[in-house]
Amino acid sequence: MSDTHSNGDSKSSVKLPNIKFTKLFINGEFVDSISGKTFETIDPRTEEVIANIAEGDKDDIDLAVKAARAAFDHGPWPRMSGSERGRIMMKFVNLVEENIEELALLDAIDAGKVLTYGKARDIPFGASVLRYYAGATDKIHGKTLKMSNQLQGYTLHEPIGVVGHIIPWNFPTGMFFFKVSPAMAAGCTMVVKPAEQSPLSALYCANLAKLAGVPDGVINVVTGFGPTAGAAISSHMDIDYVSFTGSSDVGRLVMQAAATSNLKSVSLELGGKSPLIVFDDVDVDSVVNLALLGGFANKGEFCVCSSRIFVQEGIYDEFVTKFVKNAKDITVGDPFDPSTRQGPQVDRAQYEKVLSYIEHGKRQGATLVTGGKPSGDKGYYIEPTIFTNVTDDMLIATDEIFGPVISLFKFKTIEEAIERANSTRYGLAAGIATNNLNIANTVSRSLRAGIVWINCYLAFDADSPYGGYKLSGFGREFGMEGLYKYLQVKSVVTPVHNSPWL
């Protein structure tokens, strides 16, 4: 542990955020929950209470859905021109960018996210997604149909209606905009349930939306727990669509509830066990840095983390030596400290889950080469952890751990790498490191994953669709594909009499 730095107290002069919003946001107003209940949101750095948050449940979801339904059926938002919606969304973007510091502070204290990364990457990327879809609002087009009889036809793309968004805790602000932005652009209204572990930034964003001029009822935020508020969204008879990001197990529950209620459509962005395949024609030093980024980004709380790294045998030993050395240099500590590269896990449950998987790895015979222990005396900090001698059937190789734990594997041939990389029930992302174009083409087309990065990792962009295969779900975030899922296609057909042409 001597090379892994842990900071119990922040060395920075950053002033902790003032928590301004703790109530539900329904129909343009902050209100208490109907029950009057609250729950504590915990600072993962210190294990202390940050604030008491209104605890919404089924009754509050009903109230929020009524507001969203009224805003959709009778309000101005879906009836505006696309350019009008876009102008309001651009005002929203500007406010987000003016409040980057505050949003990054909220995510740091609420979810343990490193402040410097939040200000430089997370919040700006969320704003860029909102800007992308603001620009897409007037680019939603139907088609003119060439009918076979004396008919003329065209298609309309209409907003699907009231949307329920259930968002996770690992990127609180980012996920808010990944979900809300395309639904807004389509003309939908919505109810957002942020994760109970990290509700603060969603409430702050709701206030920014109101300041931007988003009409009341278009965005409603109900904080609460999955089995109550989340389940009420999934099973609600007056919600037309549910977008969920989270675990595959909960995704099943969302889909079941959607099917047994009003058969609403769903999109599910679920778990991952993503492979990074390193071929022996690469520069090892540069790929080690790439692997560190892919494997330990956001303290491993990232569904696309390259938690399985396959290295070709010719460079395996060199790669392991350099990878382990660099992992030991990762500074673990207070996310407000500018020197920190890895903050605490989001809460005690996740902290204990990660540690339990580390114990599974040791019991099942994998070799722990670095890390594997808590870091520091308080807070939910875990050392960056690397295992070698891992077999493909060990739990650390099959299960999504969602923490700073990486398994290294050795392979010989391209065919072996493809087969083993695909030997998972997940299919969210994958990475390839090679200087051989033929290898890159063959492997990228062979991997069963929704996004494949070649000689890069975590290369997200608002224009690049992203989603899963297999138990990683279905539906896409980003790009125009991320917008189309919030639209219904309607065909309109009329007769054409005595036309000189059809």
Side-chain angles (χ1 to χ4, degrees):
M1 162 133 189
S2 59
D3 292 322
T4 301
H5 311 291
S6 175
N7 304 307
D9 297 305
S10 177
K11 299 175 183 176
S12 72
S13 59
V14 174
K15 184 179 179 182
L16 296 183
N18 178 30
I19 308 305
K20 300 175 182 176
F21 307 109
T22 60
K23 297 182 179 183
L24 314 180
F25 185 78
I26 297 176
N27 204 27
E29 301 293 337
F30 285 99
V31 296
D32 291 318
S33 62
I34 292 173
S35 69
K37 292 181 181 179
T38 62
F39 65 95
E40 296 176 341
T41 187
I42 304 297
D43 184 344
R45 307 170 310 135
T46 62
E47 306 177 49
E48 297 172 357
V49 176
I50 304 168
N52 290 296
I53 308 298
E55 181 183 338
D57 56 22
K58 183 180 183 301
D59 291 339
D60 302 286
I61 294 294
D62 285 342
L63 196 62
V65 172
K66 286 179 182 177
R69 175 56 63 190
F72 185 78
D73 288 348
H74 307 294
W77 190 250
R79 291 159 188 82
M80 289 181 183
S81 67
S83 59
E84 287 181 277
R85 281 201 301 275
R87 281 195 292 271
I88 293 173
M89 290 175 68
M90 283 304 300
K91 292 179 183 177
F92 196 1
V93 174
N94 293 337
L95 287 170
V96 172
E97 291 182 332
E98 290 171 13
N99 287 270
I100 284 176
E101 176 93 13
E102 189 73 15
L103 288 166
L105 286 167
L106 290 173
D107 283 354
I109 197 172
D110 212 14
K113 296 179 68 64
V114 174
L115 179 63
T116 54
Y117 295 167
K119 291 193 294 184
R121 297 199 305 236
D122 291 0
I123 314 304
F125 183 59
S128 76
V129 171
L130 180 58
R131 180 181 291 106
Y132 176 90
Y133 286 111
T137 53
D138 57 359
K139 299 171 182 65
I140 299 169
H141 306 298
K143 296 179 180 179
T144 299
L145 307 176
K146 194 69 174 176
M147 311 286 283
S148 59
N149 296 310
Q150 291 189 352
L151 301 167
Q152 67 173 2
Y154 59 90
T155 60
L156 296 172
H157 286 204
E158 300 179 344
I160 200 166
V162 176
V163 177
H165 297 298
I166 304 174
I167 61 178
W169 40 259
N170 56 332
F171 287 90
T173 300
M175 286 290 180
F176 180 91
F177 289 111
F178 301 168
K179 301 292 188 187
V180 165
S181 303
M184 290 180 71
C188 296
T189 61
M190 61 211 72
V191 178
V192 181
K193 194 207 86 66
E196 55 268 28
Q197 295 90 340
S198 55
L200 296 177
S201 57
L203 295 171
Y204 196 95
C205 289
N207 184 64
L208 294 182
K210 185 174 179 66
L211 294 176
V214 176
D216 293 347
V218 173
I219 296 176
N220 304 274
V221 178
V222 177
T223 50
F225 294 91
T228 50
I233 287 174
S234 303
S235 61
H236 205 287
M237 294 296 292
D238 210 19
I239 288 179
D240 301 299
Y241 191 97
V242 172
S243 176
F244 170 79
T245 296
S247 72
S248 299
D249 288 342
V250 177
R252 283 194 180 96
L253 298 176
V254 170
M255 196 169 178
Q256 289 169 358
T260 56
S261 53
N262 59 344
L263 208 63
K264 63 178 69 67
S265 297
V266 300
S267 64
L268 304 174
E269 196 263 275
L270 307 177
K273 195 69 180 174
S274 301
L276 170 61
I277 305 173
V278 180
F279 290 91
D280 61 10
D281 61 353
V282 299
D283 175 71
V284 174
D285 291 328
S286 63
V287 174
V288 162
N289 291 328
L290 185 69
L292 287 169
L293 169 68
F296 292 123
N298 201 49
K299 12 83 178 224
E301 292 176 348
F302 206 163
C303 47
V304 297
C305 269
S306 54
S307 54
R308 296 184 300 143
I309 300 179
F310 295 88
V311 184
Q312 201 159 21
E313 58 183 0
I315 59 169
Y316 179 81
D317 291 339
E318 180 187 0
F319 180 92
V320 171
T321 299
K322 292 180 175 179
F323 188 63
V324 170
K325 178 181 181 299
N326 286 14
K328 289 180 177 179
D329 289 336
I330 293 175
T331 304
V332 180
D334 192 312
F336 290 95
D337 189 324
S339 68
T340 293
R341 291 176 59 195
Q342 179 182 308
Q345 309 311 127
V346 71
D347 65 2
R348 176 162 292 279
Q350 187 62 23
Y351 169 80
E352 292 176 348
K353 174 187 172 184
V354 174
L355 291 175
S356 73
Y357 271 106
I358 292 171
E359 292 305 309
H360 279 303
K362 292 191 288 187
R363 280 198 303 270
Q364 291 187 310
T367 301
L368 177 65
V369 291
T370 189
K373 301 187 297 296
S375 179
D377 299 324
K378 66 177 179 178
Y380 306 128
Y381 298 94
I382 297 174
E383 297 174 347
T385 300
I386 300 171
F387 283 98
T388 58
N389 297 316
V390 182
T391 59
D392 294 333
D393 59 350
M394 290 180 180
L395 286 177
I396 57 172
T398 61
D399 290 8
E400 183 181 44
I401 299 172
F402 226 60
V405 181
I406 292 177
S407 298
L408 300 180
F409 305 85
K410 184 191 298 185
F411 74 92
K412 292 184 178 182
T413 66
I414 296 174
E415 293 75 18
E416 178 193 353
I418 292 169
E419 180 179 358
R420 294 176 69 187
N422 282 333
S423 182
T424 172
R425 57 186 179 271
Y426 298 109
L428 194 56
I432 303 166
T434 180
N435 291 319
N436 186 311
L437 182 60
N438 290 329
I439 290 175
N441 285 334
T442 298
V443 177
S444 62
R445 285 161 171 75
S446 301
L447 293 174
R448 299 280 296 161
I451 189 166
V452 178
W453 292 299
I454 299 173
N455 296 329
C456 58
Y457 211 86
L458 307 181
F460 288 105
D461 187 87
D463 196 45
S464 177
Y466 153 73
Y469 286 29
K470 300 186 280 189
L471 287 193
S472 292
F474 49 84
R476 292 295 179 265
E477 311 280 0
F478 307 150
M480 292 304 286
E481 286 85 352
L483 172 59
Y484 294 150
K485 67 187 180 186
Y486 297 110
L487 297 166
Q488 292 273 31
V489 178
K490 175 187 288 182
S491 293
V492 180
V493 180
T494 60
V496 178
H497 300 294
N498 302 317
S499 174
W501 50 269
L502 293 175

